[in-house]
């Protein structure tokens, strides 16, 4: 018997991708998709790729009925005030907003300038990054799906931090180049075509909120790295390329790096190590990941004067998939005991 699911806030890009995946999931039945502004309209009027795939109509949030899994795709700040209602509606809630990603209430004041209304719940929520928290996800009541930039950065760097290869006395610098869908579906001056087309625009050179998740997940043995994250908007619709610069605390070789990444990710279904000796696709590229749930990771050792090394780690994802909807479905599969790759097997397109 199919598991019943609902999407709260389904008119945005993330909600549309989530619906696309769930409609083709053999073990679930989508009961409701909500949108206050689109209530009564067919979902395909907003998500035209779903024509002839469903006859569902948007319903207002108040019309939600109990289901077995509830996906919450509300804007940041709108989930926490209604969390009790969400928990009444479903025994498993997967929240794609930032409202419960951070364990420290003070971090919300620092990074979101917001006093969290339900700090007592933060310690009970599981951070929904399967590669790092798979066992906790298996029994979770409430799963906070990670942010897109933070997913790319954490997956790229976590094996190095956990292996103790990073000089924590040196700063870590990361730049994420992000496609326009990362800004959501609401139009504004920055998304106006003459302003957006062809752009390479600094979006958030410092103080990006996803930094908080990266610091949380890369804290090792009580030591939090000194990390700076910059985000740049580029001429693409989908995709994130995170380029991280770290300094090793010992001399490393490519063999060392292959060993540590294979040890961390060798059995992971959605992590691919990309470091080819030749060709144009030697390193991770977001373009070939469009529509897929993969995270591609590669690296390059830079030998500096004086015998020091700089390690450049590159990680690429589709921000709407592994950075949002795909990762949420992956977490649902783990939580419900389904094969982890179910409904997520699409490999991407080439050329695109």
């Amino acid at each position: 018997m199919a598991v019943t699911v609902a999407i709260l806030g389904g008119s945005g890009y993330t909600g549309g991708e989530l619906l696309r995946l769930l409609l083709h999931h053999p073990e679930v039945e989508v009961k409701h998709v909500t949108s206050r502004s689109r209530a009564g309209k067919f979902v395909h009027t907003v998500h035209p790729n779903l024509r002839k795939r469903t006859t569902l109509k948007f319903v207002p949030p108040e019309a939600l009925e109990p289901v077995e899994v509830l996906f919450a795709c509300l804007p940041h700040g709108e989930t926490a005030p209604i969390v009790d209602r969400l928990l009444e509606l479903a025994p498993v809630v997967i929240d794609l907003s930032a409202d419960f990603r951070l364990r420290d209430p003070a971090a919300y004041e620092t990074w979101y300038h917001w006093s969290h209304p339900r700090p007592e719940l933060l310690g009970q929520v599981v951070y929904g990054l399967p590669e790092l928290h798979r066992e906790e996800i298996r029994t979770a009541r409430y799963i906070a799906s990670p942010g897109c930039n933070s997913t790319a950065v954490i997956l790229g760097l976590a094996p190095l931090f956990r292996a103790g290869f990073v000089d924590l006395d040196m700063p870590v610098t990361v730049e994420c180049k992000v496609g326009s869908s990362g800004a959501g579906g609401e139009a504004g001056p920055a998304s106006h075509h003459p302003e957006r087309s062809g752009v390479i625009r600094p979006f958030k050179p410092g103080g990006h909120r996803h930094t908080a998740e990266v610091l949380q997940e890369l804290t090792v043995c009580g030591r939090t790295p000194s990390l700076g994250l910059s985000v740049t908007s580029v001429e693409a619709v989908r995709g994130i390329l995170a380029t991280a610069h770290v300094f090793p605390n010992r001399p490393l070789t490519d063999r060392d790096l292959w060993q540590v990444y294979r040890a961390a990710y060798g059995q992971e279904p959605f992590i691919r190590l990309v470091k080819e000796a030749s060709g144009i696709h030697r390193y991770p590229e977001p373009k070939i990941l469009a529509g897929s749930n993969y995270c591609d990771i590669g690296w390059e050792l830079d030998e500096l004067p004086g015998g020091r090394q700089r390690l450049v780690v590159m990680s690429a994802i589709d921000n709407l998939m592994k950075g949002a909807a795909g990762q949420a479905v992956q977490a649902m599969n783990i939580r419900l005991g389904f094969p982890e790759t179910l409904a997520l097997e699409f490999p991407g397109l080439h050329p695109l």
Side-chain angles (χ1 to χ4, degrees):
M1 189 172 181
V3 172
T4 57
V5 305
I7 302 172
L8 177 63
S11 61
Y13 294 140
T14 296
E17 280 293 86
L18 192 51
L19 181 57
R20 175 178 69 85
L21 296 172
L22 293 173
L23 287 173
H24 293 83
H25 195 297
E27 300 292 343
V28 307
E29 176 189 1
V30 182
K31 298 292 289 185
H32 300 293
V33 183
T34 80
S35 172
R36 196 176 299 281
S37 63
R38 304 280 185 166
K41 298 183 181 297
F42 286 105
V43 297
H44 71 249
T45 61
V46 177
H47 308 302
N49 57 317
L50 300 181
R51 290 183 181 124
K52 279 201 168 182
R53 308 307 301 175
T54 180
T55 58
L56 279 169
K57 292 183 178 181
F58 291 111
V59 301
E62 296 77 17
L64 274 180
E65 298 176 0
V67 290
E68 290 167 273
V69 180
L70 177 63
F71 293 90
C73 300
L74 298 178
H76 304 322
E78 294 189 12
T79 303
I82 61 169
V83 63
D84 291 333
R85 171 62 175 153
L86 304 187
L87 291 168
E88 290 174 358
L89 285 167
V92 177
V93 175
I94 302 177
D95 185 356
L96 283 81
S97 80
D99 285 16
F100 288 94
R101 292 174 187 162
L102 307 179
R103 291 187 287 271
D104 182 1
Y108 279 98
E109 298 183 10
T110 300
W111 294 97
Y112 287 84
H113 310 294
W114 182 54
S115 181
H116 201 285
R118 300 298 302 274
E120 76 280 6
L121 297 180
L122 294 176
Q124 304 173 31
V125 175
V126 172
Y127 189 69
L129 192 61
E131 292 76 12
L132 270 61
H133 297 287
R134 182 173 284 107
E135 293 309 310
E136 298 102 305
I137 290 171
R138 293 190 197 281
T139 57
R141 176 84 166 86
Y142 199 103
I143 299 168
S145 202
C148 53
N149 296 295
S150 41
T151 292
V153 177
I154 293 165
L155 289 176
L157 293 180
L160 298 173
F161 278 82
R162 293 189 169 197
F165 280 6
V166 179
D167 185 346
L168 294 176
D169 293 324
M170 296 291 288
V172 177
T173 303
V174 187
E175 183 185 36
C176 290
K177 297 179 177 66
V178 183
S180 58
S181 61
E186 292 295 323
S191 64
H192 185 46
H193 184 266
E195 299 293 341
R196 190 62 177 77
S197 180
V199 77
I200 305 175
R201 176 184 297 142
F203 168 67
K204 196 71 174 174
H208 196 285
R209 293 170 171 180
H210 288 180
T211 307
E213 296 172 51
V214 179
L215 294 175
Q216 173 178 278
E217 297 301 307
L218 296 186
T219 295
V220 178
C221 298
R223 290 198 65 182
T224 300
S226 173
L227 182 140
L229 172 64
S230 299
V231 178
T232 300
S233 300
V234 297
E235 173 75 341
V237 174
R238 290 175 181 251
I240 294 174
L241 176 64
T243 304
H245 307 265
V246 302
F247 293 92
N249 58 10
R250 70 196 74 179
L252 295 178
T253 65
D254 270 338
R255 180 184 177 89
D256 296 327
L257 294 167
W258 275 110
Q259 287 179 341
V260 74
Y261 277 100
R262 281 173 172 156
Y265 294 144
Q267 302 303 313
E268 289 295 338
F270 293 114
I271 302 288
R272 304 187 299 193
L273 302 181
V274 180
K275 186 171 170 55
E276 305 290 346
S278 61
I280 63 171
H281 302 294
R282 291 182 296 148
Y283 301 113
E285 292 185 43
K287 181 178 178 180
I288 63 172
L289 296 174
S292 84
N293 197 52
Y294 287 105
C295 175
D296 285 358
I297 299 172
W299 63 83
E300 188 73 17
L301 273 170
D302 186 19
E303 303 294 339
L304 302 176
R308 289 224 63 173
Q309 292 178 316
R310 177 178 64 109
L311 176 57
V312 183
V313 179
M314 297 148 281
S315 46
I317 61 172
D318 178 337
N319 56 293
L320 295 178
M321 283 291 296
K322 186 57 176 168
Q327 184 148 257
V329 171
Q330 185 182 354
M332 179 196 73
N333 285 340
I334 294 168
R335 176 61 180 83
L336 299 182
F338 299 143
E340 193 164 331
T341 60
L342 205 57
L344 297 171
E345 296 91 347
F346 179 67
L349 296 172
H350 179 262
L352 176 63

